[in-house]
Amino acid sequence: MEFIKIILTSVGSIIALFFSTKIIGNKQMSELSMFDYINGITIGSIAAEMATSLDSKFYYPLTAIVIYTVIMWFISYLTEKNIKLRRFFTGRSIVLMQSGKIYQKNFKTSKIDINDFLVQCRINGFFTLDDVDTAILEQNGKISFLPKVQARPVNVQDMNIAAKQEKLSFTVVLDGHIMEENLKLSGNNKKWLENELQKQKIGNVKDVFIALCDGNNTLSVYKKTDDSPKNDPFQ
């Protein structure tokens, strides 16, 4: 009976987590504030307790999940409506460096060591601070860098080149199956797809791992293969 109870409560905790994430909203890990991150861990811990605890009633941790979810949703709603509350709950950006000047007090406020800052500089491609004009600590803990003009990569506009705007590529075949909606969005049909596959000497769509149609209506096809290279290209 205990084994069956664990199975049922595990399924229940997964369902509770699913609805909790749907209510709170989907965010990438890099977009989470520290408050969101800690609350997410807490909800996950409660769900795990709900799945494995045999001594207490399952609706105790379920109630806690509901309370956490409702409060987090309410805070999210408030931060969308009021900028002062948004700054209170999610924090604000902190300028660490600007115009070649490093603000030590802001480093202490943000609890960032200068060595950690230099590591982030190198990760972002700045191996000398002379190339950095501005560095800002964002609310999610990431550091944004504005390079000095002489260290900024050259773009098409700088070179006065008239470049054509690229468009999205659509996945029209995935693992041997035709993605009919994507094929329609690309402005094509199955007949066009079959003709393009025949041009590339592919007689059966089941042999295609993935095929993409770009903005120029060009089909890029990658066939299924059983090959598995064993060499490590980085050693």
Side-chain angles (χ1 to χ4, degrees):
M1 290 298 295
E2 290 182 351
F3 184 73
I4 295 174
K5 183 179 179 180
I6 290 176
I7 293 175
L8 294 176
T9 52
S10 296
V11 173
S13 67
I14 292 173
I15 295 173
L17 282 176
F18 175 79
F19 283 106
S20 176
T21 54
K22 287 296 182 182
I23 293 171
I24 295 171
N26 297 324
K27 283 187 177 180
Q28 297 290 335
M29 285 296 296
S30 60
E31 298 175 354
L32 292 177
S33 65
M34 182 60 69
F35 180 75
D36 293 331
Y37 179 68
I38 292 174
N39 275 289
I41 293 176
T42 304
I43 291 175
S45 300
I46 296 172
E49 181 182 351
M50 174 183 170
T52 57
S53 179
L54 298 175
D55 299 329
S56 60
K57 302 295 184 181
F58 78 92
Y59 49 81
Y60 290 164
L62 179 61
T63 303
I65 291 175
V66 172
I67 292 172
Y68 268 90
T69 300
V70 171
I71 291 176
M72 287 188 68
W73 174 86
F74 184 65
I75 291 174
S76 177
Y77 175 80
L78 290 177
T79 55
E80 288 179 2
K81 300 296 182 181
N82 191 300
I83 190 170
K84 291 184 178 179
L85 289 175
R86 186 185 310 159
R87 289 174 177 172
F88 176 76
F89 284 109
T90 64
R92 63 174 69 197
S93 300
I94 300 175
V95 178
L96 302 176
M97 181 178 177
Q98 190 171 34
S99 300
K101 183 178 181 180
I102 295 177
Y103 297 101
Q104 293 174 295
K105 288 185 178 180
N106 285 355
F107 270 82
K108 292 180 180 179
T109 301
S110 57
K111 306 296 189 295
I112 290 183
D113 183 81
I114 186 63
N115 290 321
D116 295 332
F117 176 70
L118 293 175
V119 169
Q120 291 301 316
C121 288
R122 292 193 292 271
I123 290 174
N124 285 272
F126 301 103
F127 286 81
T128 172
L129 290 180
D130 292 336
D131 292 337
V132 179
D133 179 82
T134 304
I136 301 174
L137 177 66
E138 307 292 355
Q139 295 96 325
N140 60 3
K142 298 287 185 178
I143 300 178
S144 301
F145 293 93
L146 176 66
K148 290 183 178 179
V149 65
Q150 63 268 23
R152 182 173 59 87
V154 177
N155 56 40
V156 174
Q157 187 176 3
D158 293 332
M159 301 178 68
N160 294 320
I161 297 175
K164 186 178 180 181
Q165 178 63 46
E166 294 184 358
K167 296 182 180 179
L168 290 175
S169 293
F170 294 94
T171 302
V172 294
V173 179
L174 184 62
D175 199 17
H177 298 282
I178 298 175
M179 313 297 287
E180 295 186 9
E181 284 295 323
N182 289 350
L183 186 60
K184 188 184 298 182
L185 288 172
S186 70
N188 298 298
N189 53 35
K190 289 185 179 180
K191 185 64 177 178
W192 172 86
L193 179 61
E194 291 173 357
N195 291 336
E196 291 297 316
L197 291 177
Q198 287 177 2
K199 289 179 183 178
Q200 302 191 35
K201 298 180 180 180
I202 299 174
N204 193 336
V205 71
K206 297 294 183 182
D207 297 331
V208 178
F209 180 62
I210 187 170
L212 303 103
C213 179
D214 63 17
N216 297 320
N217 214 34
T218 301
L219 187 70
S220 300
V221 182
Y222 300 87
K223 296 176 63 176
K224 294 180 179 179
T225 178
D226 293 327
D227 295 340
S228 180
K230 302 299 183 182
N231 61 302
D232 187 345
F234 301 107
Q235 289 186 354

